[in-house]
Amino acid sequence: MRSDRSKKGIERAPHRSLFKAAGFSDDELKRPLIGVANPFNEIVPGHVHLRQIVDAVKAGIREAGGVPVEFGVIGVCDGIAMNHEGMKYSLPSREIIADSVEIMAQAHAFDGMVLVTSCDKITPGMLMAAFRVNIPSIIVAGGPMLTGVYKGKKVNLISVFEAVGKVKAGEMSEEELCELESIACPTCGSCAGMFTANSMNCLSEAIGLALPGNGTIPAVFADRIRLAKFAGKKVMELVKKKLTPKKLITKKNFENAIAVDMALGCSTNTVLHLLAIAHEAGIDITLDTFDEISRKTPVLAKLIPAGEHSVVDLHFAGGIPAVMKELSKLGIIHLDAKTVLGKSVKEILKSVEVLDREVIRSVEEPYFKEGGIAILYGNLAPEGAVVKTSAVVPEMMRHTGPAKVFDSEEEAYEAILGGKIKKGDVVVIRYEGPKGGPGMREMLSPTSAIIGMGLGSSVALITDGRFSGGTQGACIGHVSPEAQEGGPIALVKDGDIIEIDIPARKLELKVSQEELEKRRKKWKPKRKKLTGVLKKYQMLVSSGAKGAVIE
């Protein structure tokens, strides 16, 4: 056993003494030690119930003959961190989560791990750590929350963000907003739509490092507890067979996950995170991989925010296995890919069927023939930019308009709510990239304000930052190179004409090369007074086009 290096032999008597000080028995020290990462805290709604999930995981480990060793991990609620300085810390937390899991696993020589997770950066951080440490591991999510009901309609967190714009536009009273905010998020769990948290938990399942149901079983269902117990048992099988993430998961698994990503119209953050996870796995995935798979993968579901269906609706329609079964008809799912269940994808899908065609459409009658995310290139984004096409209205798939340029999210948000953005405008928010922010903030507040003020079918937004999975509209993010690195987005001026052509994958600034060179000679990067983790992060982080990994 790997853990014997810290507990077996005469030389390890001092080590055993310390184990015993923590309450371990001699019998327990003969068994495999399984690290259980617990990001429980009392502020993230997707994590407030994780003690119960962790207890179930530990019960499963003990039942299968292992010894669970629980340890803590940090977590950020992106919704609470949104639209202020706190969001700068969200993406850096992904690296700290991966680092902390690595440190605990390596320092204490765990034989295996169960990585309990739920929300936005915690899940990708855990997946990165699983590949980096490369000991037998399983991901277990806390599950999605249920939707609320307000005036007879389903509501969720994004309903509240967009309602702020409606209040500013005079379409809703402050009293109604107060009522809505108390109803929109009715249970614990990751927010109810196909936002980043649920996207990544569904893709953990599609990639094969989580069990079927991981992405969609609601947080408040007993099935979630049973799944956690089963994961505890399964990790012991992986330990006995010495099946590590790098032995199980290949490029085929990642391509399966990307296909599911495209079929469901997941958060654009999945691009950022899958690139980073593949980097840790030593698997060659690029932005072009996403676009290639997107072009041959139909959109089969319209989930919140792109449509009315929640992740819970997806669960009752058959969940991720049903989506993969439907996609397999087109030959774009690798059926021979292995999973932590101990079965191939083909074996898992054998008895699966779509249970609700209102939620999961057939490949013959998709919402769109091409996938939910597209990669754009052009003189404004030489290294690429990302857009969630499934959340763009048809009339904004092609758009040309004048730029309204802002050097921070706050400036843009104030201008939108202040009525300074007009129909046809292209809002440009820059110096919000991985280095420029630093931290690549999500722009949910500005995008929600655009929708709430009735501009979603006439205004586009472009940024070197990123978007929440709750964003809808013609919102193009991850523009690379970013402004802080001297990318072309740093050279845009108010009134410059920008052309967006999503079907043609183009993002062009209609300014001559000669003029851009003149502007570049006058350009200087912005200097921000930074301390602590943000200072270190700015020094080390790479481009969004590479997944914003630390190099």
Side-chain angles (χ1 to χ4, degrees):
M1 289 185 292
R2 185 174 186 265
S3 60
D4 284 348
R5 68 181 68 169
S6 67
K7 58 187 176 66
K8 188 175 182 180
I10 294 173
E11 297 84 357
R12 295 296 178 260
H15 303 63
R16 290 193 296 273
S17 182
L18 292 170
F19 274 111
K20 290 177 179 180
F24 288 83
S25 68
D26 285 325
D27 182 56
E28 285 177 318
L29 292 178
K30 295 174 184 176
R31 303 180 199 170
L33 298 183
I34 310 299
V36 182
N38 183 5
F40 162 82
N41 59 54
E42 295 183 338
I43 194 167
V44 182
H47 289 237
V48 293
H49 65 304
L50 291 188
R51 280 175 172 165
Q52 189 178 14
I53 302 295
V54 165
D55 284 346
V57 167
K58 290 159 70 175
I61 292 169
R62 289 192 184 100
E63 189 176 336
V67 178
V69 182
E70 180 183 339
F71 63 93
V73 176
I74 65 166
V76 171
C77 176
D78 278 18
I80 294 173
M82 196 71 65
N83 196 226
H84 60 84
E85 287 294 301
M87 180 47 70
K88 293 182 178 181
Y89 290 85
S90 176
L91 189 56
S93 77
R94 184 188 74 179
E95 314 308 314
I96 292 170
I97 289 160
D99 290 350
S100 63
V101 171
E102 176 193 0
I103 288 168
M104 290 298 290
Q106 302 290 44
H108 303 106
F110 296 145
D111 296 295
M113 290 190 296
V114 179
L115 303 168
V116 179
T117 180
S118 190
C119 287
D120 295 338
K121 306 307 168 292
I122 297 91
T123 301
M126 296 286 197
L127 284 161
M128 290 166 68
F131 282 105
R132 189 187 299 174
V133 177
N134 199 34
I135 60 176
S137 301
I138 289 182
I139 300 289
V140 180
M145 72 169 61
L146 304 183
T147 53
V149 178
Y150 179 66
K151 294 185 177 181
K153 293 184 177 181
K154 285 183 182 179
V155 291
N156 58 85
L157 177 65
I158 305 308
S159 307
V160 188
F161 271 99
E162 292 177 359
V164 175
K166 291 180 180 179
V167 171
K168 293 288 185 179
E171 296 177 10
M172 177 183 275
S173 68
E174 290 188 35
E175 290 74 21
E176 288 174 312
L177 176 61
C178 183
E179 188 179 351
L180 174 62
E181 74 181 45
S182 300
I183 294 171
C185 299
T187 72
C188 62
S190 43
C191 296
M194 191 51 78
F195 313 141
T196 305
N198 289 326
S199 294
M200 289 308 304
N201 291 326
C202 286
L203 298 189
S204 299
E205 185 179 333
I207 212 170
L209 272 184
L211 297 170
N214 180 74
T216 59
I217 297 173
V220 294
F221 279 22
D223 270 354
R224 180 58 61 176
I225 302 299
R226 286 190 281 270
L227 180 78
K229 287 180 182 176
F230 189 41
K233 292 180 182 180
K234 275 292 170 185
V235 78
M236 293 305 298
E237 289 183 20
L238 297 177
V239 169
K240 288 172 185 175
K241 295 176 180 178
K242 298 181 180 180
L243 292 175
T244 67
K246 287 184 178 180
K247 285 182 180 178
L248 279 171
I249 307 304
T250 68
K251 189 171 183 177
K252 290 181 178 180
N253 296 76
F254 276 86
E255 290 176 347
N256 283 350
I258 294 171
V260 170
D261 190 349
M262 299 305 148
L264 294 178
C266 291
S267 164
T268 51
N269 282 315
T270 58
V271 177
L272 197 71
H273 298 322
L274 286 175
L275 287 170
I277 296 161
H279 175 76
E280 296 289 355
I283 291 171
D284 183 27
I285 298 291
T286 67
L287 285 178
D288 289 339
T289 310
F290 287 85
D291 207 58
E292 288 165 10
I293 294 174
S294 179
R295 288 182 182 276
K296 61 184 179 182
T297 307
V299 176
L300 303 182
K302 269 207 165 187
L303 303 167
I304 299 168
E308 295 298 318
H309 296 130
S310 68
V311 176
V312 176
D313 294 328
L314 177 63
H315 175 65
F316 286 121
I320 300 308
V323 174
M324 296 180 77
K325 180 69 171 281
E326 191 63 28
L327 289 175
S328 69
K329 295 177 182 178
L330 297 176
I332 55 177
I333 293 294
H334 299 287
L335 296 174
D336 58 338
K338 297 176 183 177
T339 72
V340 290
L341 183 60
K343 296 181 179 181
S344 68
V345 172
K346 183 178 181 178
E347 291 172 304
I348 291 172
L349 301 187
K350 192 174 183 179
S351 59
V352 169
E353 59 181 295
V354 175
L355 303 176
D356 188 342
R357 285 295 181 188
E358 289 293 313
V359 179
I360 303 173
R361 287 194 176 182
S362 68
V363 292
E364 291 83 16
E365 296 181 345
Y367 282 102
F368 306 105
K369 291 182 179 180
E370 292 190 0
I373 293 175
I375 309 301
L376 311 185
Y377 291 97
N379 68 346
L380 191 50
E383 294 177 4
V386 182
V387 62
K388 185 173 181 174
T389 56
S390 58
V392 180
V393 294
E395 54 266 43
M396 290 299 291
M397 295 297 282
R398 292 183 175 89
H399 179 78
T400 300
K404 292 287 182 67
V405 184
F406 304 93
D407 286 351
S408 72
E409 178 190 3
E410 288 86 354
E411 292 174 30
Y413 188 51
E414 184 180 344
I416 295 164
L417 293 181
K420 295 179 182 178
I421 304 302
K422 307 301 179 185
K423 289 183 178 180
D425 286 346
V426 178
V427 177
V428 176
I429 306 178
R430 62 192 180 191
Y431 294 103
E432 290 286 7
K435 287 182 179 291
M440 206 178 186
R441 287 194 288 181
E442 291 182 349
M443 305 291 150
L444 180 57
S445 292
T447 59
S448 296
I450 287 171
I451 298 296
M453 297 186 75
L455 297 171
S457 60
S458 60
V459 169
L461 192 151
I462 296 172
T463 181
D464 53 6
R466 58 196 177 92
F467 297 113
S468 160
T471 288
Q472 57 178 310
C475 301
I476 300 166
H478 307 200
V479 171
S480 300
E482 62 174 293
Q484 188 68 23
E485 294 275 70
I489 193 172
L491 309 178
V492 183
K493 291 185 177 181
D494 281 342
D496 286 350
I497 300 301
I498 293 176
E499 179 189 2
I500 300 165
D501 190 335
I502 295 172
R505 305 299 200 258
K506 285 173 57 179
L507 182 60
E508 292 285 337
L509 178 63
K510 296 300 183 180
V511 175
S512 70
Q513 191 61 38
E514 292 77 15
E515 173 60 23
L516 290 177
E517 288 303 320
K518 288 180 183 178
R519 295 180 188 182
R520 183 174 298 283
K521 289 177 182 178
K522 297 178 182 179
W523 173 82
K524 292 181 181 179
K526 286 191 175 294
R527 303 295 181 191
K528 296 181 180 180
K529 291 183 179 180
L530 300 172
T531 59
V533 67
L534 293 183
K535 185 175 182 179
K536 289 185 285 187
Y537 187 77
Q538 187 184 60
M539 291 170 61
L540 299 172
V541 70
S542 68
S543 164
K546 295 181 178 180
V549 296
I550 296 298
E551 293 183 332

